[in-house]
């Protein structure tokens, strides 16, 4: 049997209402905060991601879907959106049109990770990027949007963790201090952390190994080695969160797996989805635009994984909006009248009603079963003795009451009945 590729999932019709529910909420939220949607291609030249995310990160070194196309260009399916949005921002000089661009997106992403619950190889993110402002108001706004969307979805078991990575200069000085500390424990570190020690020392904080965690307990933290401006920036972000009654934990070990961050970083972690617990992550990236060839321009953003949000909602038994029921189902009583039905059904559909009928020559009983399965509001019977008297019988499915209506003004009668229901 031909199956979907490992880690890529079909979203079947029964699950689509969950996606509509989340997508509609997201669009409303971003509209209220005046973020404009941006859509970028599914693939980019590989350098967009390798230069932005960092060669030594897990994403670039082991997870990207990269291939050489027929014109010998190295192409990568997007593993995240920030680099792609920044590429588009520079290419179309969006900064010339307005000094601050508040952008949002909903898009599939691709990472060749080991699939498990909440971790896929094709997954979907929504997120936002505010490009062009240094103000901590923007860091706080991004965090507040992420937090509020998750709260509005009905989730309860989640925690917001924030940290500051400061500026590259203080981070470089700190890496030496951290290196000095870890050198003394080098032999006790896990193999993975030994590798990270040389390649990307901050990522040792992401280690799950209990031995590493024990060593890290007494490690110096970057947050205690920030410059004055970074401390001030972080304090303002925290004050705005406090003023907005957004609870958070400062987690000095939160380093994030992408290299472009400066100043604020954050994650929202769920208590209900198992080991893949990060519902969303983000932060400030003041050097990325310049790094990708643009004018020095600051930015801040976040992205959330939609599959993980759905998993968390299912695990916390949060209700999704039910799909809307059918307004009308035409049940055919006399088989020879079947050609009449599309005309009546389409008239109603054209005025905005949700209408269905039978296409499979099913028995009256089977048609009624179908109408019930679709939670139909009104069944219209076509045929029988009433039809010869130019009438339709209409059954209100909620109370079982049947009414006869003249066929020639059935459209207006049905609209009145449905509106009054
Ligand atoms: P990220 O932390 O790599 O950040 O991903 C954001 C979210 O995407 C994660 O918290 C998780 O919910 C979801 N996610 C990541 N990988 C997978 C996967 N394999 N399967 C399912 N869900 C996944 C970024 O992507 C940054 N671009 C965020 C950002 C925007 N920073 C600034 N602006």
């Amino acid at each position: 049997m031909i199956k979907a590729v490992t880690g890529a999932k079909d979203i079947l019709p029964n699950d689509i209402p969950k996606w509509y529910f989340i997508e509609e909420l997201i669009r409303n939220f971003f509209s209220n905060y005046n973020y404009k949607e941006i859509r970028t291609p599914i693939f980019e030249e590989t350098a967009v991601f390798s230069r932005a995310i960092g060669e030594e990160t897990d994403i670039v070194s082991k997870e990207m879907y990269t291939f050489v196309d027929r014109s010998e260009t190295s192409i990568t399916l997007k593993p995240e959106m920030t680099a792609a949005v920044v590429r588009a921002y520079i290419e179309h000089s969006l900064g010339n049109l307005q000094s601050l661009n508040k952008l949002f997106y909903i898009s599939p992403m691709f990472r060749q990770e080991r699939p498990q619950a909440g971790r896929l190889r094709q997954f979907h993110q929504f997120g936002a990027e505010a490009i062009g402002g240094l103000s901590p108001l923007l860091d706080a706004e991004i965090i507040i949007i992420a937090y509020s969307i998750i709260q509005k979805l009905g989730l309860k078991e989640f925690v917001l963790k924030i940290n500051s990575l400061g500026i590259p200069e203080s981070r470089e000085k700190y890496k030496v201090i951290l290196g000095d500390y870890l050198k003394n424990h080098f032999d006790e570190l896990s193999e993975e952390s030994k590798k990270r020690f040389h390649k990307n020392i901050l990522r040792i904080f992401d280690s799950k190994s209990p031995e590493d965690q024990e060593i890290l307990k007494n490690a110096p933290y970057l947050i205690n080695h920030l410059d004055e401006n970074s401390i001030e920036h972080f304090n303002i972000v925290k004050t705005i969160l406090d003023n907005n009654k957004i609870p958070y934990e400062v987690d000095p070990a939160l380093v994030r797996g992408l290299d472009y961050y400066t100043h604020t970083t954050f994650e929202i972690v769920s208590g209900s989805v198992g080991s893949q617990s990060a519902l969303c992550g983000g932060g400030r990236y003041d050097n990325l635009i310049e790094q990708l060839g643009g004018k020095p321009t600051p930015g801040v953003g976040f992205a959330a994984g939609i599959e993980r949000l759905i998993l968390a909602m299912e695990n916390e038994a949060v209700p999704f909006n039910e799909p809307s029921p059918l307004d009308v189902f035409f049940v055919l009583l006399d088989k020879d009248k079947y050609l009449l039905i599309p005309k009546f059904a389409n008239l109603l559909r054209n005025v905005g009603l949700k209408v269905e009928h039978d296409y499979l020559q099913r028995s009256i009983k089977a048609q009624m079963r179908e109408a019930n399965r679709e939670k139909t509001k009104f069944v219209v019977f076509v045929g029988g003795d009433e039809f010869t008297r130019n009438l339709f019988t209409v059954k209100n499915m909620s109370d079982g009451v049947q009414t006869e209506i003249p066929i020639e003004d059935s459209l207006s009668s049905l609209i009145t009945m449905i509106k009054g229901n």
Side-chain angles (χ1 to χ4, degrees), residues 59 79-83 105 111 113 118-125 128-129 256-258 260-261 267-268 278-285 300-308:
I59 297 179
E80 63 111 45
M81 265 303 265
T82 313
Y105 47 82
R111 296 184 193 176
E113 297 191 77
R119 190 161 72 192
L120 293 150
R121 291 180 170 175
Q122 175 174 337
F123 59 99
H124 296 76
Q125 283 187 345
E129 313 293 346
R256 307 265 308 126
L258 305 97
Y260 49 60
Y261 292 112
E267 268 180 16
I268 296 179
L279 297 177
C280 80
R284 183 165 272 287
Y285 46 86
V300 56
F302 82 97
I306 301 183
E307 284 84 355
R308 284 195 199 169

Side-chain angles (χ1 to χ4, degrees), residues 411-421:
L411 181 64
S412 57
S413 308
L414 279 167
I415 292 170
T416 313
M417 288 168 93
I418 288 161
K419 291 223 168 107
N421 192 46

